[in-house]
Amino acid sequence: MFPIERIRNFSVVAHIDHGKSTLSDRLIQETGGLSAREMKEQVLDNMELERERGITIKAQTVRLSYKAADGLDYVLNLIDTPGHVDFAYEVSRSLAACEGSLLVVDASQGVEAQTLANVYQAIDNGHEIVPVLNKIDLPAADVERVRAQIEDVIGLDASDAVLASGKTGLGIKDVLEAIVTRLPPPKGDPDAPLKALLVDAWYDAYLGVVVLVRVMDGVLRPGQQIRLMQTGASYRVERLGVFRPANTPVEALGPGEIGYFTAAIKEVADAAVGDTLTDERRPTSQPLAGFREVQPVVFCGLFPVDAAQFEDLRAAVGRLRLNDASFTFEMETSAALGFGFRCGFLGLLHLEIVQERLAREFNLDLIATSPSVVYKITLTNGEVMELHNPADMPDPVKIEHIEEPWIKATIFTPDEYLGSVIKLCQDRRGEQRELSYVGSRAMVVYDLPLNEVVFDFYDRLKSISKGYASFDYAIEGYRQGDLVKMSILVNGEPVDALSMLVHRQRAEMRGRGMVEKMKDLIPPHLFQIPIQAAIGGKVIARETVRALRKDVTAKCYGGDASRKRKLLDKQKEGKKRMRQFGKVEIPQEAFIAALKMDAD
């Protein structure tokens, strides 16, 4: 065990792409955590997808040893956090395990939407914050402007901000000294009953469930019998260690230390993140506050293109759930797409990452239905139900009203794109809260309905601002809305996989776009196929796929005109009969393209 006054627990928070992971690499290198031969870029991002996209998805922890300028040895526990809004729950868990944060701001880009969101989370957790201006080696870096921005927008004193470059290693010594001198040591009593916070848990094929803990009071040792206070389950600690970044076994973890243990826990779900861990024989009286339960906000159906792959998909989602407690799924069937799963995600990037992992790691070809959010429906008998799938909507006669989730969106944009950004928000039924300026950039805060954001809002925002706008959101709550279920009918038959809930004002536009797209996607049959968008019994848009026409008069050479007429009338009768009994084949590509169209 290490003296508590020489331990520093800190996390690195910043907007996407401001250089958190690169700065963490330099800190590990500077303190000798890895040799030059073992060093690689984004050393803490161990998922292939994280390296490829250059983003952090899972928060990672590493323990560093540092000899400070005062000649004393210190232990630094660093937690590298994701910057993307979909993984904000990872950030909140990491912050609860630390006493301080390094606020990394790109010296050329300045303060962005996620910078604000993450720094406010750190302040809410009572953190001491050290501003670090990264990328000062760039020609576009403007240190004084960014210092002023941090003071104006966040209200932090940035006069003694540390100047550094994660790429070249410039100023890394200053960052380490600032951590030691400006961040507070943890508090805790080694003689009190054991009290530790479960920060994270993941599944390892060899060790079973590995649990990351931050010890608050008491001491954790191998062989100790422990209890999880939320679930009441009891386990015996098998192995105990820390990440340096390689797994290193230790004899004990004392107050203020962060490490991992294994204890023959079978499922990640059994180790609820935010739970309090205590000694079975000498338990603590009061559990820690923990975290709020993570709630999925976007739902979509995942179906295998080949129905024979359903069992493979079932096994794959089960395995992914082991490592990602925020991903939920339940089985569902669709008349058009067969068997699949209704899955819940924290946002569109989360959905995309899970879909890509299923395709890569498990070799699955999948169709995803259009994403939808969770609606609250109040029925006429006073009962309130949650609706995850528009196809399950009850009869409109039984509905009193429908409520939809709203978000508070914060957008930073250069001044010249402000008009386009405001128009986009107004088109999506947004309500403006505030508009202010930070230097030459505008900060717009809007209330927006989440179902208008989940489809393509972020893509549209990036395209109208040429990639310069940054966007962050937080769920605000539910509001009543004039929402209707729009069904797509092909040859008079509703296609459940394409039904969606839309606002009444936008229903016609959405319906028209959908049927026009479907018209081009469904191949012609021997009879006409009407494609309709309908609300209840009222058709709001229609397109017709023209029939394939076989030339029945091809063999008629000359002769009486009535012979041709007779053959054409016979064909007409046949088509009428076929129109009544004919079944329309909708190819899988049509579904994929129609659902993608929703994002166009």
Side-chain angles (χ1 to χ4, degrees):
M1 278 185 342
F2 203 78
I4 193 166
E5 65 280 358
R6 296 216 302 277
I7 296 174
R8 298 289 182 272
N9 297 323
F10 67 98
S11 61
V12 186
V13 294
H15 186 77
I16 315 150
D17 275 348
H18 278 206
K20 293 179 294 300
S21 298
T22 313
L23 192 73
S24 304
D25 289 354
R26 293 294 84 74
L27 293 173
I28 292 168
Q29 206 171 358
E30 183 69 34
T31 54
L34 288 174
S35 66
R37 190 171 59 82
E38 294 169 307
M39 204 61 208
K40 57 185 178 185
E41 277 189 34
Q42 287 175 271
V43 73
L44 294 178
D45 292 345
N46 45 25
M47 221 186 283
E48 185 191 337
L49 214 60
E50 290 183 312
R51 305 184 147 281
E52 202 171 284
R53 287 174 172 243
I55 57 173
T56 302
I57 295 168
K58 288 290 287 178
Q60 301 289 348
T61 314
V62 63
R63 176 172 170 144
L64 309 171
S65 301
Y66 175 61
K67 195 176 192 73
D70 58 11
L72 295 172
D73 285 323
Y74 286 84
V75 159
L76 314 178
N77 287 310
L78 150 73
I79 301 186
D80 180 26
T81 59
H84 201 282
V85 61
D86 282 15
F87 306 114
Y89 73 103
E90 287 278 344
V91 180
S92 67
R93 298 201 309 222
S94 308
L95 295 178
C98 303
E99 285 77 37
S101 290
L102 293 185
L103 171 67
V104 178
V105 182
D106 184 328
S108 60
Q109 303 258 338
V111 174
E112 305 256 5
Q114 281 302 127
T115 316
L116 277 182
N118 290 342
V119 78
Y120 288 150
Q121 257 187 320
I123 292 167
D124 288 346
N125 276 291
H127 278 203
E128 187 64 45
I129 291 166
V130 174
V132 176
L133 302 189
N134 193 21
K135 307 192 185 182
I136 57 162
D137 56 315
L138 292 180
D142 186 344
V143 172
E144 291 314 312
R145 177 177 63 86
V146 177
R147 268 199 180 128
Q149 263 188 24
I150 293 174
E151 288 175 4
D152 294 349
V153 182
I154 304 171
L156 279 178
D157 177 19
S159 56
D160 54 354
V162 184
L163 307 183
S165 165
K167 190 176 171 188
T168 61
L170 193 71
I172 296 300
K173 266 266 194 285
D174 301 339
V175 175
L176 288 162
E177 280 301 320
I179 292 166
V180 168
T181 55
R182 289 162 61 180
L183 295 184
K187 297 182 177 73
D189 179 1
D191 303 320
L194 174 66
K195 185 192 275 191
L197 176 73
L198 257 74
V199 181
D200 202 358
W202 61 92
Y203 189 80
D204 183 286
Y206 302 106
L207 304 173
V209 176
V210 181
V211 182
L212 185 70
V213 288
R214 153 75 202 266
V215 180
M216 300 294 183
D217 288 321
V219 182
L220 184 63
R221 289 190 171 87
Q224 194 172 352
Q225 198 68 24
I226 54 160
R227 189 166 90 237
L228 301 179
M229 294 181 84
Q230 195 176 318
T231 56
S234 176
Y235 300 99
R236 185 172 170 276
V237 176
E238 288 173 355
R239 61 178 73 206
L240 195 64
V242 294
F243 297 107
R244 291 178 177 273
N247 304 359
T248 313
V250 293
E251 288 302 308
L253 284 177
E257 293 193 279
I258 297 175
Y260 71 88
F261 74 88
T262 62
I265 302 173
K266 300 282 185 296
E267 294 247 340
V268 173
D270 297 340
V273 167
D275 199 349
T276 305
L277 178 126
T278 188
D279 194 343
E280 174 75 21
R281 295 184 187 83
R282 186 174 162 234
T284 180
S285 53
Q286 212 49 43
L288 295 158
F291 315 103
R292 55 191 169 82
E293 191 68 24
V294 56
Q295 294 293 333
V297 292
V298 176
F299 284 81
C300 91
L302 291 179
F303 295 87
V305 168
D306 175 5
Q309 281 194 319
F310 173 71
E311 283 306 321
D312 299 342
L313 176 61
R314 185 202 293 272
V317 290
R319 290 219 9 224
L320 266 193
R321 174 89 177 95
L322 284 176
N323 271 353
D324 189 350
S326 56
F327 164 62
T328 61
F329 65 90
E330 57 186 36
M331 207 179 130
E332 77 165 349
T333 55
S334 153
L337 302 173
F339 289 102
F341 291 95
R342 188 95 194 146
C343 304
F345 307 92
L346 299 169
L348 281 189
L349 179 74
H350 189 209
L351 183 155
E352 212 177 301
I353 295 288
V354 168
Q355 227 178 312
E356 200 158 326
R357 286 187 67 187
L358 287 170
R360 268 189 194 194
E361 295 170 28
F362 304 98
N363 258 346
L364 294 168
D365 276 342
L366 299 175
I367 295 176
T369 62
S370 49
S372 71
V373 299
V374 187
Y375 299 95
K376 286 186 179 166
I377 297 181
T378 306
L379 303 174
T380 46
N381 63 5
E383 197 183 315
V384 178
M385 64 173 278
E386 283 194 348
L387 181 76
H388 294 185
N389 187 350
D392 302 334
M393 187 163 161
D395 187 344
V397 180
K398 296 178 182 169
I399 297 174
E400 177 77 32
H401 63 259
I402 304 174
E403 292 177 11
E404 59 179 335
W406 279 64
I407 61 168
K408 175 189 170 192
T410 308
I411 300 167
F412 275 80
T413 175
D415 193 27
E416 63 262 37
Y417 308 117
L418 180 61
S420 310
V421 169
I422 288 176
K423 185 178 184 307
L424 174 68
C425 293
Q426 299 288 14
D427 288 348
R428 299 300 169 99
R429 301 191 280 131
E431 295 172 6
Q432 190 173 320
R433 270 202 192 184
E434 61 179 270
L435 169 59
S436 54
Y437 275 85
V438 183
S440 63
R441 289 160 76 227
M443 181 177 103
V444 201
V445 181
Y446 259 89
D447 284 342
L448 285 160
L450 183 60
N451 80 341
E452 298 285 353
V453 174
V454 294
F455 287 110
D456 61 336
F457 182 83
Y458 192 61
D459 295 344
R460 296 275 311 121
L461 180 69
K462 284 290 178 198
S463 65
I464 61 175
S465 68
K466 298 193 169 52
Y468 284 109
S470 67
F471 167 65
D472 173 58
Y473 69 86
I475 303 285
E476 283 281 282
Y478 278 77
R479 292 196 206 171
Q480 206 168 312
D482 186 11
L483 300 167
V484 288
K485 177 185 169 185
M486 185 176 79
S487 309
I488 301 292
L489 299 116
V490 176
N491 202 17
E493 293 290 321
V495 182
D496 60 348
L498 297 175
S499 58
M500 60 179 74
L501 252 71
V502 289
H503 194 267
R504 198 182 293 275
Q505 287 174 352
R506 301 198 50 169
E508 191 177 329
M509 185 185 79
R510 283 293 266 283
R512 195 166 297 287
M514 202 76 160
V515 295
E516 280 171 7
K517 189 83 171 182
M518 290 295 285
K519 179 193 171 190
D520 300 334
L521 296 167
I522 294 177
H525 288 51
L526 289 168
F527 51 90
Q528 273 193 358
I529 305 168
I531 304 169
Q532 299 159 309
I535 297 171
K538 183 186 174 193
V539 173
I540 55 168
R542 170 182 168 137
E543 289 287 340
T544 307
V545 178
R546 289 185 57 185
L548 274 176
R549 186 164 178 270
K550 185 182 173 188
D551 190 359
V552 287
T553 60
K555 290 192 178 123
C556 277
Y557 299 111
D560 199 292
S562 60
R563 281 181 67 200
K564 282 189 179 180
R565 182 83 271 133
K566 197 171 163 187
L567 286 168
L568 289 168
D569 287 347
K570 194 175 171 188
Q571 183 186 38
K572 210 179 198 175
E573 282 304 309
K575 284 202 187 249
K576 213 182 244 173
R577 216 169 38 248
M578 200 184 265
R579 168 91 180 69
Q580 283 169 338
F581 306 113
K583 192 169 182 317
V584 180
E585 289 294 321
I586 306 176
Q588 299 282 33
E589 303 81 68
F591 276 105
I592 299 170
L595 296 169
K596 274 214 175 87
M597 166 256 112
D598 230 39
D600 284 352

